[in-house]
Amino acid sequence: MASEKQGEYDFIVVSNRLPVDRQTSPDGTEYWQASPGGLVTALEPMMQASGGAWVGWPGRPDLEFDPFDHDGMHLVPVSLTAVEVERYYEGFCNDTIWPLYHDVIAPPSYHRVWWDAYVRVNRRFADAAARLAAKDATVWVHDYQLQLVPMMLRESRPDLTIGFFNHIPFPPYGIFSQLPWRRRIIEGLLGADVIGFQRVGDAANFSLAVRRLLGHSVRRAGAIDIEEDGKPFRRVISRAFPISIDSRAFEEVAKRPDVQARARQIREDLGNPKKILLGVDRLDYTKGIQHRLKALGELFAAGELDPEEVSFVQVASPSRERVETYRQLRDEIELTVGRINGDFGSIRHQPVSYLHHGYPRDEMVALYLAADVMLVTALRDGMNLVAKEYPAVRFDEDGVLVLSEFTGSADELRTALRVNPHDIDGLKAAILEATRMPQADRRRRMRAMRRRVLENDVARWSSSFLDVLREARGNSAARDES
Ligand code: GDG
């Protein structure tokens, strides 16, 4: 067990979840397993080089774990009680902020006891980071679960350079202003030196909220000037840094012969349909799964798509199953899938293969390779990494991406077939166009998307954020000296 070296870390990442899961082996022994994700991949080299520490919740309530080392990173677990998981995580994070920040697709719930738990848990994360940080260290805080941490940290440790990245959208003021604690959130975020968003529009929404709620002036390049006693005091940079994936790693998996064989096997197992359509999402109401099912059902009903010739595979990985809205959504989706298969299936063939599981990454890549059409129809999505993973693996330059304009990815993947998922007729037309697109057109569009995704990978994302953070620190040091 590694001892906690207090105050010795020059680089600290703070996120709700640690990048590992606690697993139990068949003989009952417990161990930590890396939960692979873009964020770890992006930050691992930096963490290993700088001997960094990562602060987060290990994912199990009511348990205390000592800090430990894993893959060259020092991991510092923050514990949550079962009541805190219910009020802070499932409540305020997933049933207040998540729906509010995603255009109120589902109605957000506002409960004061949830807010109190959010403040208390944010304080715990901030205290853990403050204890670990060396003098003048850099702390990078992630996502909507921890919006108060930047200011809490700044108050206790003004020497730190603090970055914050918001992985989900930041809503327009008319929606954000519903939040009873809107000022506290903005003040919390403004503790950071640099606040990163996925899209330019998110950063603009944030700037407007800052102006309306706190009256600070916001300059064109997203520089927010905070005054104290009428004098310039601090500058905060708020800007878009679109996140990406480890594109080369995805491409490498796709080039493996066993993965390609698996892709062929998938097609065969589906009965060699003419076209395979694919959806891959956490089972979440923001992802527009019902909209794509509606469009497909109507296309089958009208005879515009032949259900015998098409397989639609929907991977819906289980998510937030203790939150009521998610339970209802699962029921609705499963009812619709059952109807479509009941109406249009035969003993031989079911047009929809619905899979409520999580799969290993190799299997996901094989599915992407097998899919002729990838459907990303989110109603609102910070970025949507699936939309970037699909072109990254398609080294054969084939496949068509149907992409909602309400995702961050749509800003970059300009040659995808863009859709407004609320417009069911438009969505139907795009699905038909995707299934009929000539190969030359598919190749041209896929090439352009691949160029973009291979160039702008997650390493570039993290280094561009950290460069701006370093610059911000330089500027404030210069100001302090003048
Ligand atoms: C949030 C924001 C933003 C899904 N099922 C399986 C599986 N996945 C992987 C996908 C992809 C990831 O999970 C999902 O990422 P998304 O970006 O699509 O969506 P969120 O989970 O909502 O992520 C989002 C992101 O943060 C990053 O900033 O893009 O907008 O909402 O990588 O491939 N992976 C495996 N098995 C599964 O069953 N292995």
Side-chain angles (χ1 to χ4, degrees), residues 82-264:
V83 173
E84 283 167 345
V85 172
E86 194 184 314
R87 295 181 179 174
Y88 149 79
Y89 181 62
E90 291 161 358
F92 199 78
C93 294
N94 290 339
D95 208 14
T96 304
I97 295 289
W98 181 269
L100 183 75
Y101 282 29
H102 287 89
D103 287 356
V104 296
I105 297 165
S109 309
Y110 302 115
H111 296 298
R112 285 162 284 183
V113 287
W114 290 3
W115 165 254
D116 293 342
Y118 187 77
V119 177
R120 202 167 51 245
V121 171
N122 270 244
R123 169 75 58 200
R124 195 170 305 148
F125 277 81
D127 288 349
R131 260 199 318 277
L132 287 161
K135 178 148 177 24
D136 295 330
T138 296
V139 182
W140 192 0
V141 183
H142 286 266
D143 226 357
Y144 64 103
Q145 298 94 350
L146 301 174
Q147 296 173 97
L148 305 178
V149 169
M151 189 49 93
M152 288 172 169
L153 262 179
R154 177 160 302 281
E155 281 166 359
S156 63
R157 292 289 306 270
D159 58 306
L160 301 178
T161 301
I162 304 167
F164 181 90
F165 186 76
N166 197 53
H167 290 253
I168 68 173
F170 195 88
Y173 185 70
I175 291 179
F176 180 69
S177 57
Q178 283 187 13
L179 188 67
W181 308 279
R182 56 198 187 186
R183 258 183 89 101
R184 299 277 300 276
I185 294 284
I186 297 292
E187 286 167 350
L189 290 168
L190 286 176
D193 295 287
V194 176
I195 308 173
F197 295 94
Q198 302 276 31
R199 304 179 91 163
V200 174
D202 297 319
N205 288 344
F206 176 72
S207 295
L208 184 59
V210 167
R211 261 203 306 262
R212 296 283 291 269
L213 292 169
L214 299 180
H216 298 315
S217 61
V218 183
R219 292 173 197 282
R220 207 170 323 156
I224 300 165
D225 285 330
I226 299 175
E227 296 188 344
E228 211 175 65
D229 305 328
K231 285 194 219 112
F233 174 58
R234 235 163 44 81
R235 173 167 283 187
V236 178
I237 304 291
S238 109
R239 255 192 50 181
F241 298 87
I243 201 169
S244 191
I245 55 166
D246 187 354
S247 329
R248 294 280 168 204
F250 270 93
E251 193 183 40
E252 272 164 34
V253 175
K255 286 184 169 165
R256 273 176 22 209
D258 59 320
V259 174
Q260 286 169 42
R262 176 64 193 145
R264 286 191 295 274

Side-chain angles (χ1 to χ4, degrees), residues 16-89:
N16 177 57
R17 280 299 310 274
L18 278 177
V20 290
D21 290 319
R22 189 78 170 160
Q23 303 284 352
T24 311
S25 57
D27 68 3
T29 49
E30 298 205 333
Y31 61 98
W32 295 106
Q33 190 178 47
S35 45
L39 199 55
V40 201
T41 322
L43 301 176
E44 219 171 19
M46 170 86 184
M47 296 287 280
Q48 288 165 348
S50 63
W54 194 313
V55 176
W57 178 48
R60 295 226 195 142
D62 287 330
L63 292 175
E64 302 261 351
F65 295 103
D66 288 330
F68 57 99
D69 288 338
H70 188 95
D71 273 351
M73 294 184 288
H74 185 64
L75 304 187
V76 181
V78 170
S79 64
L80 298 181
T81 65
V83 173
E84 283 167 345
V85 172
E86 194 184 314
R87 295 181 179 174
Y88 149 79
Y89 181 62

Side-chain angles (χ1 to χ4, degrees), residues 98 102 143 165 167-169 198 243 245 250 280-282 286-287 315 317 320 357-361 364 368 381-386 389:
W98 181 269
H102 287 89
D143 226 357
F165 186 76
H167 290 253
I168 68 173
Q198 302 276 31
I243 201 169
I245 55 166
F250 270 93
V280 170
D281 313 82
R282 276 186 308 99
T286 58
K287 303 291 181 183
V315 175
S317 35
R320 305 177 188 171
H357 311 287
Y359 287 95
R361 187 159 82 166
M364 305 302 294
Y368 290 147
D381 215 329
M383 180 53 59
N384 197 295
L385 298 180
V386 169
E389 290 164 4

